């Protein structure tokens, strides 16, 4: 019998420190996309609150904390990050297991905003993108989900198949920011 | 050029994919006849001025948007979710 070893999406690539900016891989736990059925958004939010402790996020927002997050993930969709989804959620929403399908990294340290400013066409400075805000946009050439989480850090989710590109693009921007001193 | 997405806020043009005139919102009935279908599939206005178009926010929230755009000035007018324009 072959012994299979689990590899994280960014295994061998992270962690990375360039200047004062740090990039770590995050083990997000289970990832489940949650899409409320028509007219069920409010009922779903109540079930989500009771089961996992946070409501369904408004557009461009994230709810929850380190243990369990609900990140707005697009039109009529959120990503439940952390716990296995409560079965009661399925009464109000389409659930899809996306665990292991996304690379999750955390970018933090002074200058993290400058790094993202080189890659993302959205203002991610704290003034317009404080903790609890989230967005879908482009990170250089690929789509990504970026959320401002605790301690001013950014949680970035991108397709697992693009993990090496994600790290490469971030590293290039980190080096460019560090080179400016 | 920037498009104010109702969900994401104002975003750069590179996040959007252009579909064309917003005729898809008024699809003829299957038995509407050859002329209506010919018009729906092939015939388009080419105005110098305000148009009503479908754009896809592929680099953002993934929503289809109905965008009013002026082809002369590139000014963007009203933007709405296609899902809500239809119902």
């Amino acid at each position: 019998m072959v012994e299979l070893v689990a590899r994280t999406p960014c295994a061998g690539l992270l962690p990375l420190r360039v200047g004062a900016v740090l990039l770590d891989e995050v083990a997000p736990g289970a990832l489940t996309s949650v899409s409320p059925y028509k007219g069920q958004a409010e009922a779903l939010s109540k079930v989500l609150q009771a089961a996992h402790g946070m409501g369904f996020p408004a557009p461009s927002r994230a709810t929850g904390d380190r243990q369990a997050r609900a990140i707005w993930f697009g039109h009529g969709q959120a990503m439940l990050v952390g716990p296995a989804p409560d079965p009661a959620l399925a009464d109000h929403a389409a659930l899809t297991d996306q665990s292991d399908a996304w690379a999750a990294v955390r970018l933090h340290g002074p200058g993290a905003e400058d790094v993202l400013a080189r890659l993302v066409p959205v203002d991610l400075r704290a003034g317009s993108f404080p903790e609890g805000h989230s967005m879908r946009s482009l990170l250089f050439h690929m789509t990504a989900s970026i959320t401002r989480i605790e301690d001013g850090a950014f949680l970035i989710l991108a397709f697992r198949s693009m993990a090496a590109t994600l790290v490469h693009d971030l590293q290039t921007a980190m080096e460019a920011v560090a080179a400016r001193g | 050029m920037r498009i104010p997405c109702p969900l994401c806020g104002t975003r750069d043009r590179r996040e959007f994919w252009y579909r064309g005139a917003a005729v898809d919102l008024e699809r003829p009935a299957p038995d509407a006849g050859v002329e209506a279908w010919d018009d729906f599939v092939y015939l388009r206005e080419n105005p110098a001025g305000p148009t009503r178009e479908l754009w896809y926010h592929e680099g953002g929230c993934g929503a289809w948007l109905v965008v009013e755009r002026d082809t002369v000035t590139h000014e963007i007018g009203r933007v709405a979710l296609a899902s809500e324009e239809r119902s």
Side-chain angles (χ1 to χ4, degrees), chain A residues 14-145:
Chain A
L14 296 177
L16 195 66
R17 185 198 177 102
V18 181
V21 183
L22 294 104
L23 184 64
D24 318 312
E25 179 158 30
V26 177
L31 296 175
T32 311
S33 75
V34 182
S35 300
Y37 296 130
K38 211 166 193 178
Q40 298 283 303
E42 230 168 89
L44 171 71
S45 194
K46 279 183 190 147
V47 174
L48 196 61
Q49 181 79 48
H52 299 297
M54 70 269 177
F56 193 83
S60 303
R61 295 291 183 275
T63 54
D65 54 27
R66 278 188 180 84
Q67 276 70 43
R69 272 183 227 289
I71 298 174
W72 180 80
F73 226 67
H75 184 27
Q77 194 185 356
M79 189 74 89
L80 177 63
V81 181
D86 190 289
L89 294 173
D91 296 339
H92 307 287
L95 307 179
T96 310
D97 182 12
Q98 307 222 8
S99 308
D100 298 327
W102 294 80
V105 300
R106 195 169 73 102
L107 185 73
H108 58 113
E113 292 169 0
D114 299 332
V115 170
L116 289 178
R118 288 172 177 256
L119 300 170
V120 182
V122 177
D123 184 0
L124 295 178
R125 290 174 295 178
S128 56
F129 193 76
E131 189 179 316
H133 281 228
S134 182
M135 53 127 232
R136 295 296 308 263
S137 184
L138 300 175
L139 193 141
F140 204 34
H141 289 152
M142 64 181 158
T143 60
S145 156

Side-chain angles (χ1 to χ4, degrees), chain B residues 43-62:
Chain B
L43 303 181
R44 294 289 175 271
E45 299 295 326
N46 185 22
T51 57
R52 194 161 168 263
E53 303 170 327
L54 279 177
W55 290 74
Y56 179 54
H57 196 185
E58 64 174 352
C61 60

Side-chain angles (χ1 to χ4, degrees), chain B residues 4 24-25 28 39 45 48-49 56 59 64-65 69 71 84 87:
Chain B
D24 295 334
L25 298 174
D39 187 53
E45 299 295 326
Y56 179 54
W64 282 95
L65 305 177
R69 182 175 69 93
T71 56
E84 290 176 4
S87 53

Side-chain angles (χ1 to χ4, degrees), chain A residues 38 75, chain B residues 6-7 25 64 66 78 80-87:
Chain A
K38 211 166 193 178
H75 184 27
Chain B
L7 297 176
L25 298 174
W64 282 95
V66 178
R78 184 172 169 271
L81 293 174
S83 55
E84 290 176 4
E85 287 290 279
R86 248 184 126 165
S87 53

